[in-house]
């Protein structure tokens, strides 16, 4: 994989890469997932991410899974995903998770797969006392999100607001450094409310390289609503294409109206 895209990734928080996965592996990976059709978060959605975990599969004599998982693992090595993530982070990094899951179109009933949100936002916890610590804002994942089925408008693409990772980075930084107070900023309405607080708005805009970026972002999200602007920011990608993104970006899983979806994710984190 070419490293020339890293500047674009830093700037926009995301890049889209066509034909990321070769047809041989696409078919192989897809067939494996279609056998069990695991839901997101279910135990069979997780793929071995290290030689140690692969050895466990072997010791259990689970040869089918061992071979399949080894192919997923080998693909990351072949594509030098770790190397790419290390250049992006500017630090050593590690593979924290590989998973692949199946979204059944019938389950989503015209609703977004996941509404607009940013990751690493404490799940929108309303009680600040329940948050053990506000982690280092640099502790953020880089996600390689590979589509194993076609996605398009209203059908399973991960919509995103370009450059929004820079806004959420400043929010996490301000909270971590005790410059602004925590209040929920996970979903769209929480982000809007958070930035309506003058102290928060001022902190974020003053710390951005370009202070106008915050107003541009607020304009973009002003009328964004899962119930009205269904396909704003949707796009089309083919099975085997991928997006790579900083998990701080404001994103959602768009509606899934026409067909089922399968995705494969490789998630890297920096050593801090
Ligand atoms: Fe997310």
């Amino acid at each position: 994989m070419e490293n020339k895209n890293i500047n674009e990734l830093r700037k926009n928080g995301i890049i889209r890469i066509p034909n990321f996965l070769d047809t041989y592996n696409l078919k192989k990976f897809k067939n494996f997932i279609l056998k069990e059709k695991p839901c997101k978060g279910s135990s069979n959605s997780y793929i071995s991410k290290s030689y140690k975990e692969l050895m466990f599969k072997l010791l259990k004599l689970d040869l089918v899974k061992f071979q399949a998982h080894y192919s997923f693992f080998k693909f990351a090595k072949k594509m030098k995903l770790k190397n790419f993530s290390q250049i992006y982070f500017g630090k050593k990094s590690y593979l924290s998770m590989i998973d692949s899951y199946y979204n059944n179109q019938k389950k989503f009933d015209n609703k977004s797969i996941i509404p607009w949100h940013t990751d690493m936002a404490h799940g929108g916890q309303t009680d600040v006392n329940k948050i053990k610590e506000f982690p280092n804002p640099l502790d953020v994942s880089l996600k390689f999100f590979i589509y194993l089925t076609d996605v398009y408008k209203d059908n399973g693409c991960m919509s995103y607001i370009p450059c929004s990772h820079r806004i959420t980075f400043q929010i996490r930084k301000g909270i971590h450094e005790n410059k602004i107070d925590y209040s929920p900023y996970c979903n769209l309405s929480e982000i809007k409310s958070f930035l309506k607080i003058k102290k928060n708005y001022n902190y974020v805009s003053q710390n951005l390289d370009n202070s106008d970026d915050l107003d541009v972002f607020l304009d973009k999200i002003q009328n964004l609503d899962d119930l009205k602007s269904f396909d704003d920011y949707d796009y089309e990608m083919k099975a085997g294409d991928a997006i790579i993104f900083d998990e701080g970006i404001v994103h959602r899983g768009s509606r899934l109206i026409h067909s089922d979806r399968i995705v494969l994710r490789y998630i890297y984190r920096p050593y801090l």
Side-chain angles (χ1 to χ4, degrees):
M1 194 173 49
E2 304 214 18
N3 296 334
K4 66 177 183 188
N5 299 317
I6 286 188
N7 284 342
E8 188 192 336
L9 175 59
R10 287 206 180 104
K11 179 171 173 269
N12 294 334
I14 188 161
I15 45 175
R16 296 190 216 166
I17 303 190
N19 303 313
F20 190 79
L21 189 59
D22 55 280
T23 44
Y24 173 78
N25 274 323
L26 172 61
K27 198 175 165 195
K28 195 170 170 183
F29 294 170
K30 199 170 162 182
N31 285 342
F32 175 72
I33 296 304
L34 281 170
K35 274 193 223 160
E36 296 188 1
K37 298 186 176 176
C39 300
K40 186 180 180 186
S42 62
S43 60
N44 50 356
S45 70
Y46 296 106
I47 312 275
S48 307
K49 62 179 188 303
S50 62
Y51 288 112
K52 192 175 161 190
E53 288 181 11
L54 283 165
M55 280 308 292
F56 279 125
K57 288 275 173 294
L58 203 54
L59 290 170
K60 281 186 185 167
L61 298 178
D62 194 346
L63 295 183
V64 174
K65 277 206 170 144
F66 168 78
Q67 281 177 339
H69 285 202
Y70 183 59
S71 302
F72 284 102
F73 182 70
K74 209 169 59 175
F75 177 74
K77 294 260 179 213
K78 184 186 123 194
M79 296 296 283
K80 300 188 171 136
L81 303 188
K82 185 170 155 181
N83 183 53
F84 184 91
S85 70
Q86 293 188 153
I87 297 171
Y88 176 71
F89 292 127
K91 288 173 186 300
K92 283 198 173 291
S93 73
Y94 63 97
L95 177 57
S96 74
M97 191 170 90
I98 310 174
D99 71 348
S100 187
Y101 53 87
Y102 189 94
N103 295 127
N104 186 327
Q105 179 261 325
K106 289 194 185 86
K107 272 175 102 178
F108 291 96
D109 189 28
N110 272 7
K111 288 193 228 81
S112 299
I113 295 174
I114 304 175
W116 289 104
H117 68 284
T118 177
D119 298 340
M120 297 301 284
H122 316 288
Q125 176 58 259
T126 48
D127 184 352
V128 69
N129 297 314
K130 288 190 176 158
I131 299 173
K132 284 183 192 143
E133 62 166 335
F134 296 110
N136 185 329
L138 296 171
D139 188 12
V140 69
S141 300
L142 187 67
K143 297 186 174 176
F144 296 78
F145 196 95
I146 305 164
Y147 296 111
L148 302 188
T149 47
D150 293 352
V151 295
Y152 42 94
K153 258 184 193 293
D154 279 332
N155 205 58
C157 58
M158 194 203 81
S159 320
Y160 56 89
I161 313 289
C163 307
S164 53
H165 66 306
R166 292 191 239 154
I167 312 288
T168 58
F169 172 78
Q170 293 302 339
I171 294 176
R172 295 195 306 277
K173 184 168 168 285
I175 294 170
H176 181 251
E177 292 176 355
N178 247 326
K179 301 274 172 49
I180 49 178
D181 299 323
Y182 172 81
S183 59
Y185 62 92
C186 186
N187 66 40
L188 204 56
S189 62
E190 288 168 353
I191 294 170
K192 284 181 195 168
S193 305
F194 186 93
L195 291 169
K196 266 192 191 138
I197 298 169
K198 207 167 177 218
K199 189 178 169 189
N200 298 347
Y201 175 92
N202 288 343
Y203 176 85
V204 173
S205 69
Q206 282 161 14
N207 283 281
L208 287 167
D209 288 341
N210 182 353
S211 58
D212 292 343
D213 287 354
L214 181 55
D215 290 332
V216 171
F217 170 72
L218 287 170
D219 263 3
K220 278 182 187 162
I221 65 168
Q222 193 54 44
N223 296 312
L224 205 57
D225 184 324
D226 283 300
L227 298 174
K228 293 183 207 127
S229 40
F230 287 127
D231 57 16
D232 290 2
Y233 296 97
D234 278 10
Y235 55 85
E236 183 180 328
M237 287 195 102
K238 296 282 176 208
D241 295 351
I243 52 176
I244 305 173
F245 64 99
D246 177 315
E247 69 176 334
I249 203 166
V250 175
H251 60 284
R252 68 152 183 199
S254 82
R255 299 196 297 177
L256 194 58
I257 291 183
H258 304 289
S259 56
D260 298 349
R261 178 180 88 153
I262 308 173
V263 294
L264 164 63
R265 305 188 301 171
Y266 291 87
I267 301 178
Y268 288 82
R269 303 186 84 86
Y271 286 109
L272 295 172

